[in-house]
Amino acid sequence: MATARTALPHAPVYASDQAHYSVGKAARLLGLQLITVASRPDGTMDPGDLRCKLHQQTDQFPGAIVLATIGTTMRGAYDDVTLLRDAAAMFGDVYVHADAALGGFIAAHAPSLPRWSFRHGADSVSISGHKMIGMPVPCGVVLARRHLVPDVSSAEYVQATDRTLGCSRSGLAAVLMWSALRRLGYTGMRTRVLGCLDVARYAADRLAEAGTRPSRPTDSVVVCFDRPTPEIVDRWHLACEGDRAHIVTVAHVDRAAVDELCADLSRMRR
Ligand SMILES: *Cc1c(COP(=O)(O)O)cnc(C)c1O
């Protein structure tokens, strides 16, 4: 978002009501105006409402930083970067950041080919390492188009390029992530993603049998279902919002775990 602000200094940030809470935090720190766009029933940002919000704003605040979410936190939906860029384009300059913390690695291999990355119109992309890659420490990668990244001039004595806000940072995290990506390779990552999607599909079927009204966006590893009793929420550490809970089928969540959860849910219902 700091890179976006450098490119479009006066543009507000447009993010959906499903965007991660860190977007609000970053907007506050950067002094950026945050405009919340409605989401559609499937959890994606509504391009019609984006147009509507832009129409209300652009006389006063030209340009738009559109913050797309690739794999929304609660429902796992993929915003359509191409659609959102097109919707915003008639109102002036647009910068699109794809927050692909959870969903980037999945979208890259998903059979339905979500439009989420640089070739679909993103200017920058962020992906976490402790989600789909399963790193034991928080880490991630941020990529931006070359012309948007300033040439670095860090102090000579550190002998390193430094584009981050903090100065000292974990080299261990970077090495762990590099090593995991080298080990998995493209094929390994693809196999992992397709496996996770398979478990998500399985979970949706089992949760339906358990009578919990599951919902799952196409090619998502997030499955939402009716919020169970507090005992089950506690035992399974389920993330809840209102009357719904969700599970995220990252790599260590296997069919056996899904079966066990569903057995618990069925027992409670009886
Ligand atoms: C997890 C997540 C974040 C936060 O990323 P961290 O790397 O855990 O700090 C931001 N946005 C989305 C959509 C997420 O899923």
Side-chain angles (χ1 to χ4, degrees), residues 19-20 22 69-73 99-103 127-131 138-140:
H20 193 260
S22 56
T69 307
I70 312 305
T72 59
T73 308
D99 172 6
L102 170 67
I127 306 180
S128 300
H130 49 279
K131 295 181 178 179
C139 56

Side-chain angles (χ1 to χ4, degrees), residues 60-124:
Q60 230 182 323
F61 306 104
I65 297 167
V66 176
L67 205 131
T69 307
I70 312 305
T72 59
T73 308
M74 200 53 206
R75 274 181 271 177
Y78 303 107
D79 282 347
D80 186 326
V81 163
T82 307
L83 195 64
L84 296 177
R85 179 174 275 283
D86 289 350
M90 70 177 82
F91 296 96
D93 294 335
V94 185
Y95 182 111
V96 182
H97 175 68
D99 172 6
L102 170 67
F105 278 115
I106 306 160
H109 297 285
S112 61
L113 309 175
R115 297 191 290 190
W116 70 286
S117 190
F118 291 101
R119 66 194 167 99
H120 309 116
D123 294 295
S124 51

